[in-house]
Amino acid sequence: MTTATAPGKIILCGEHAVVYGRPAIALPLPGLRAYAHIDSAPPGSGLLLKASDLGREWMVDETTTEPLGKLAYATLRSLGISRADMVITITSTIPIAGGMGSGAAVATALVRAISAYTGCHLHPGDVSALVYESERGYHGTPSGIDNTVIAYEQPVWFVRQAPNTDETSGAISPTAYITPLSIARPLRFVIGDSGVRSKTRMPVGEVQRRWKANPSYYEQLFDQVRSLAEEIRDALATGHTAALGTLLDTNQSLLEQMGVSSPELERLIAAARSAGAMGAKLSGAGWGGIMIALTDEINSTAVAEALRYAGATDVIETIVNAYP
Ligand code: MEV
């Protein structure tokens, strides 16, 4: 038997602009995790997937179109294995569909568990590519930032390059510049869930429509995000947490101008700021999902209480470690 795990994530800066080739910064959340546990099964019994949190289990074979089963077989194939008899149990402490990478983390844990169980080593880049393919089923053509930060499990500076068309498979996979980031001091975040669920592809599609209708307006917003990302990278490296808070507020203002914020998110952001957060913004695709507030030891409890009072359906206090 084998167990593997993968973290959740937040996008600190640059969501949406990253789809248009600007840099984004994403951080792993080591305190929120998905797990995949594999037990062997008798020969000929096939592959059983269990999502014990959801009380579901289902058999999958090579022809399945169900995303996790498909990913399990894609992983086995990439390791040169054509069939397997095993029971894979998935669990997760990451809120589902909230913008914290629950799907990508479950997928990453699954791929890692299969490679460990079969005694093969997969580089994080290979894990990330397999997960990217499976995420495409849910999100259209994502930038790839979510699977990257989760598979590498470290803060990343991510710049998407023009999508490549793979001549042999016809698959589109983004190539990206991925640079590990250093973080001088641990960062304390309070994450508030708006309780509103919106599929990533909806706001992404809307931004694309608006960008096509008014390219110069959107291009200058995306350029402002690029400058901001550079300043945020410096603030992370030098440990200027107060400056970082102000920069996150500016990113929220740009996201509002892009049209991906919402009244529910803005109510939570205002509540966090009033309770003493150093900065706050939505994180992820927007229209719903989560907001993040940068806090310190002194005010994080007050910020968490303010978020609950303002209607957050879930509030999570978490720390992102320093990275040399
Ligand atoms: C979603 O987590 C982030 C977006 O930038 C979409 C993407 O990068 O694919 C909104």
Side-chain angles (χ1 to χ4, degrees):
M1 83 187 192
T2 306
T3 300
T5 175
K9 64 92 204 181
I10 49 173
I11 295 188
L12 187 65
C13 155
E15 50 276 268
H16 290 287
V18 69
V19 175
Y20 300 83
R22 274 44 164 217
I25 296 173
L27 309 176
L29 296 176
L32 291 174
R33 307 199 71 89
Y35 299 86
H37 176 84
I38 302 187
D39 289 303
S40 56
S45 54
L47 202 162
L48 175 66
L49 273 168
K50 289 185 177 182
S52 44
D53 301 336
L54 308 175
R56 282 184 56 214
E57 59 177 66
W58 63 103
M59 291 297 302
V60 286
D61 64 20
E62 297 84 341
T63 62
T64 186
T65 53
E66 177 280 314
L68 271 186
K70 220 169 137 181
L71 176 62
Y73 277 100
T75 306
L76 287 166
R77 269 195 305 278
S78 80
L79 299 171
I81 299 165
S82 58
R83 60 160 296 121
D85 300 306
M86 55 174 81
V87 178
I88 308 180
T89 306
I90 304 288
T91 54
S92 173
T93 60
I94 309 165
I96 294 173
M100 279 177 271
S102 60
V106 163
T108 303
L110 178 94
V111 173
R112 284 182 178 162
I114 292 175
S115 66
Y117 182 80
T118 54
C120 305
H121 176 71
L122 279 177
H123 181 271
D126 300 325
V127 175
S128 186
L130 282 159
V131 173
Y132 179 80
E133 268 313 297
S134 106
E135 287 278 286
R136 280 180 61 203
Y138 295 114
H139 298 317
T141 308
S143 65
I145 189 168
D146 292 2
N147 48 284
T148 300
V149 64
I150 291 171
Y152 284 87
E153 201 157 344
Q154 64 183 90
V156 290
W157 172 266
F158 182 97
V159 188
R160 180 190 203 181
Q161 307 301 297
N164 280 346
T165 302
D166 178 335
E167 300 283 328
T168 46
S169 68
I172 296 172
S173 61
T175 51
Y177 285 125
I178 304 161
T179 315
L181 282 183
S182 60
I183 299 188
R185 290 163 200 237
L187 299 169
R188 188 177 283 265
F189 290 97
V190 182
I191 302 172
D193 192 334
S194 67
V196 178
R197 291 291 174 261
S198 152
K199 288 200 185 327
T200 298
R201 67 170 69 178
M202 305 300 283
V204 170
E206 181 61 20
V207 170
Q208 191 183 42
R209 266 188 294 284
R210 294 186 191 189
W211 170 72
K212 278 185 182 153
N214 197 347
S216 56
Y217 176 72
Y218 272 84
E219 286 295 320
Q220 60 82 24
L221 285 179
F222 298 150
D223 283 342
Q224 288 186 66
V225 174
R226 182 192 354 239
S227 309
L228 204 54
E230 286 163 359
E231 288 184 69
I232 288 179
R233 179 176 54 183
D234 294 346
L236 290 172
T238 53
H240 284 127
T241 315
L244 177 60
T246 309
L247 295 165
L248 297 184
D249 286 342
T250 308
N251 196 179
Q252 170 61 22
S253 150
L254 293 170
L255 289 161
E256 287 171 20
Q257 291 170 62
M258 284 175 210
V260 295
S261 189
S262 74
E264 293 85 358
L265 285 164
E266 283 166 33
R267 190 168 61 238
L268 298 183
I269 289 164
R273 288 177 184 157
S274 304
M278 283 174 268
K281 66 179 281 284
L282 72 83
S283 176
W287 281 3
I290 55 157
M291 49 70 66
I292 57 174
L294 182 64
T295 62
D296 58 25
E297 265 171 69
I298 296 160
N299 62 25
S300 86
T301 307
V303 170
E305 272 167 20
L307 287 176
R308 281 192 200 96
Y309 188 73
T313 53
D314 196 8
V315 175
I316 296 165
E317 293 179 60
T318 192
I319 293 176
V320 173
N321 306 329
Y323 285 80

